Amino acid sequence: MRGKFYTRIFLPLSGFIIVAFVLLVLVFIGIGGRYMLQERQESLENNAIEITRLSSIALQSGELDTLNEWNFRVVISSIARSTGHHCFITDADGTVVLCSDDDLGCGHVGRQIGGGVMETLAADESYSDLTTLGDFYPETRYVAALPIISGGDSVPGYVFVASSVDGIMQVWSNIIECFLFIVVAVMLFTVIGSFISSRRWSRPLRELADAAVCFAHGDFSVRVSGAERDDEFGPLANSFNRMAESLEQSEKRRDDFIANVAHELKTPMTTISGFADGILDGTIPAEQTNHYLETISSETKRLNRLVRSMLDLSRMKSLAPEELMQRSFDATELLARTLVIFEGKINAKHLDVNVLIPEDPMLVCGDADAINQVIYNLLENAVKFAQEGSELAISLFKQGEKAYISIKNHGPVIPAEELPLIFDRFHKADKSRSADRDGYGLGLYIVKTILNNHGEDIAVTSRDGATEFVFSLTLKQK
């Protein structure tokens, strides 16, 4: 996995950088070389112009009688030393009469310029080329030449300025070496930086991939690092960890759900099986058969209620909230009708019922059967756990765009640590489940599921001997 990340991130990035630098080097060498040659050519031409100007002025002012005078040789020698060029002057026929070399016995003086250079110079009145001047030089040089103007119609001579190609190439070679060194250093630094950067960027991706593999094998305890980073991976890692926590909790709830269902089914099924076998094999006396058959019937009904509750949960979760909120009913009538159902149980416990219900209808949005189930489950719990002879308070009121139903009893309170858990499936404050054999811990879970489907809230408080459930309903707009 690690090799794939490097191949996909680091190698393309490094290849792109190398190609870019190679192109940069080629462009620099091409443009830079032409610039160097052009600059050297301009320098030669400028020197030729300057020497020609000095020669013309000297001849016209009478300072020079001939072009091969010693004083003028000193001038062009100085120019040659300061520029690094080789300078010489020819007469009108192309014979060298004065040279910038320091050696008085210079071998250039008296030589004839050939190769058709003089004809080109006479015709074009200038000359610039890469040449040996008809074997005047043993190697090819850049040469620029101009005629000397003395004021008359004739041309007394020509000025030649030459520069060695080797010198130019040596300078250019030094520049290229320096540039290549810098390029290699930058490329090396960039490649190393890209490698480090790609490792840093690919590490969270590797962790995400490894964590996903663990998830696929059912291990939801894995978390990825980097949630504190301030780049794009920080929020991604944070979201991934929250997803992992949610999956882990869902897996735990699923395991708990299976364990609780198995527990709830095991007890009645064991009872039914044991008593049925006892009746069949004669272990249970005939005179007690009816008693144990009643127990079997009771346990069978318990199983039936459990299965029905599970089916109700599945049906409620399949209902679309938008469809539910398009329906409406009278909350006042529904609350009163449900309360009548518990009249027998209320009287049996001698409860004092305090009902605060408005006389006028109160239309709310939602499914009447589902909300009836909510009220029924809450009233059933309130009556069941109310202290005998205590007060049972039921109220319906409006606040803003919401209607609220409150059901309050007096009796044992729910421990504070149990309050956040009472709406979970199969949760009971009594862990032994012996206190309430008729319940399965699904009543409040069904309540919460129905209200969630309606987009409503429910709150519970339990203190000072009183427990109150309050849930909301949306008022129907007229």
Side-chain angles (χ1 to χ4, degrees):
M1 180 65 68
R2 179 175 302 177
K4 290 184 179 180
F5 277 116
Y6 287 162
T7 301
R8 294 176 181 175
I9 296 178
F10 173 69
L11 293 182
L13 181 60
S14 300
F16 174 78
I17 294 173
I18 292 174
V19 170
F21 269 99
V22 168
L23 292 176
L24 177 62
V25 170
L26 294 177
V27 171
F28 177 79
I29 292 175
I31 297 177
R34 286 197 300 270
Y35 176 78
M36 284 287 293
L37 296 177
Q38 183 179 358
E39 184 181 23
R40 182 55 60 95
Q41 184 177 357
E42 291 178 355
S43 176
L44 290 174
E45 292 175 354
N46 290 334
N47 288 339
I49 292 172
E50 180 64 19
I51 296 174
T52 301
R53 185 183 67 84
L54 294 175
S55 301
S56 299
I57 293 174
L59 288 172
Q60 293 176 9
S61 64
E63 296 179 6
L64 291 179
D65 294 330
T66 59
L67 291 173
N68 60 352
E69 289 190 13
W70 175 260
N71 293 337
F72 195 64
R73 179 185 179 281
V74 173
V75 173
I76 65 171
S77 295
S78 299
I79 295 175
R81 282 195 300 270
S82 63
T83 60
H85 300 156
H86 180 247
C87 304
F88 62 89
I89 298 175
T90 69
D91 59 15
D93 296 327
T95 302
V96 179
V97 297
L98 192 64
C99 180
S100 62
D101 287 347
D102 292 333
D103 188 2
L104 294 177
C106 172
H108 295 134
V109 177
R111 292 185 61 182
Q112 183 75 30
I113 304 299
V117 175
M118 300 309 298
E119 290 80 0
T120 302
L121 183 56
D124 297 340
E125 297 184 351
S126 67
Y127 181 83
S128 177
D129 198 3
L130 186 63
T131 179
T132 61
L133 291 178
D135 296 330
F136 182 81
Y137 290 117
E139 77 284 346
T140 302
R141 296 191 181 192
Y142 281 100
V143 178
L146 289 173
I148 299 174
I149 307 301
S150 62
D153 295 334
S154 62
V155 176
Y158 297 91
V159 173
F160 285 81
V161 179
S163 178
S164 172
V165 177
D166 293 338
I168 298 175
M169 297 310 297
Q170 182 62 40
V171 173
W172 180 232
S173 176
N174 293 337
I175 295 175
I176 290 179
E177 289 179 2
C178 181
F179 178 76
L180 289 177
F181 175 78
I182 295 174
V183 167
V184 170
V186 171
M187 287 181 62
L188 184 62
F189 175 80
T190 304
V191 169
I192 294 174
S194 300
F195 178 78
I196 296 174
S197 177
S198 64
R199 281 181 60 88
R200 181 175 181 271
W201 278 75
S202 63
R203 186 182 301 112
L205 295 178
R206 294 198 308 273
E207 291 186 12
L208 287 174
D210 294 340
V213 172
C214 293
F215 289 176
H217 290 85
D219 181 9
F220 299 105
S221 62
V222 180
R223 299 294 183 271
V224 297
S225 60
E228 71 285 352
R229 292 172 54 155
D230 56 358
D231 56 14
E232 293 82 355
F233 287 110
L236 177 61
N238 192 29
S239 299
F240 191 90
N241 288 337
R242 288 202 303 268
M243 180 191 69
E245 292 174 3
S246 177
L247 290 173
E248 187 176 24
Q249 293 173 4
S250 297
E251 184 69 10
K252 183 178 183 300
R253 286 194 295 266
R254 185 181 70 86
D255 293 340
D256 292 343
F257 174 73
I258 294 174
N260 290 330
V261 169
H263 178 86
E264 294 294 344
L265 292 175
K266 179 181 179 181
T267 302
M269 291 179 67
T270 301
T271 301
I272 293 171
S273 176
F275 289 163
D277 290 342
I279 294 173
L280 291 175
D281 62 16
T283 303
I284 296 176
E287 62 274 12
Q288 296 183 2
T289 299
N290 288 339
H291 171 72
Y292 286 103
L293 286 176
E294 290 177 358
T295 303
I296 291 174
S297 176
S298 175
E299 293 298 317
T300 303
K301 291 177 181 177
R302 287 187 64 209
L303 283 176
N304 183 59
R305 289 196 299 272
L306 175 60
V307 172
R308 188 171 61 250
S309 296
M310 300 294 292
L311 292 175
D312 289 342
L313 279 175
S314 178
R315 179 183 62 83
M316 293 170 193
K317 289 184 176 181
S318 65
L319 295 176
E322 298 80 8
E323 179 184 350
L324 294 175
M325 298 308 289
Q326 290 177 356
R327 307 172 186 176
S328 63
F329 61 92
D330 182 5
T332 301
E333 180 185 356
L334 182 64
L335 183 58
R337 190 170 65 243
T338 308
L339 185 59
V340 171
I341 298 175
F342 289 90
E343 182 177 359
K345 294 182 179 181
I346 291 173
N347 292 334
K349 297 193 74 169
H350 308 289
L351 299 178
D352 181 16
V353 181
N354 181 14
V355 180
L356 297 176
I357 300 178
E359 296 180 359
D360 298 329
M362 187 180 297
L363 293 180
V364 295
C365 299
D367 181 75
D369 292 337
I371 300 302
N372 178 68
Q373 184 71 46
V374 171
I375 299 174
Y376 185 95
N377 289 359
L378 293 178
L379 279 174
E380 185 179 38
N381 278 351
V383 173
K384 183 187 302 181
F385 296 106
Q387 186 176 354
E388 188 168 352
S390 63
E391 180 185 67
L392 178 65
I394 303 167
S395 62
L396 170 64
F397 58 94
K398 291 191 293 186
Q399 186 173 333
E401 297 181 353
K402 295 284 187 178
Y404 294 89
I405 295 179
S406 169
I407 299 176
K408 181 178 180 180
N409 74 333
H410 292 77
V413 298
I414 303 173
E417 63 274 10
E418 297 287 340
L419 283 177
L421 308 174
I422 61 173
F423 294 107
D424 290 350
R425 283 177 295 192
F426 293 109
H427 177 79
K428 291 184 179 181
D430 183 3
K431 299 299 181 182
S432 67
R433 303 177 184 268
S434 60
D436 178 19
R437 286 186 53 82
D438 293 331
Y440 299 95
L442 285 174
L444 292 180
Y445 177 72
I446 292 175
V447 167
K448 184 67 173 176
T449 300
I450 293 174
L451 292 176
N452 283 346
N453 278 8
H454 283 73
E456 305 294 349
D457 296 321
I458 184 169
V460 57
T461 57
S462 186
R463 58 178 178 270
D464 301 330
T467 300
E468 180 180 17
F469 287 84
V470 181
F471 68 91
S472 65
L473 295 170
T474 301
L475 291 169
K476 182 176 177 59
Q477 301 298 322
K478 297 181 180 179

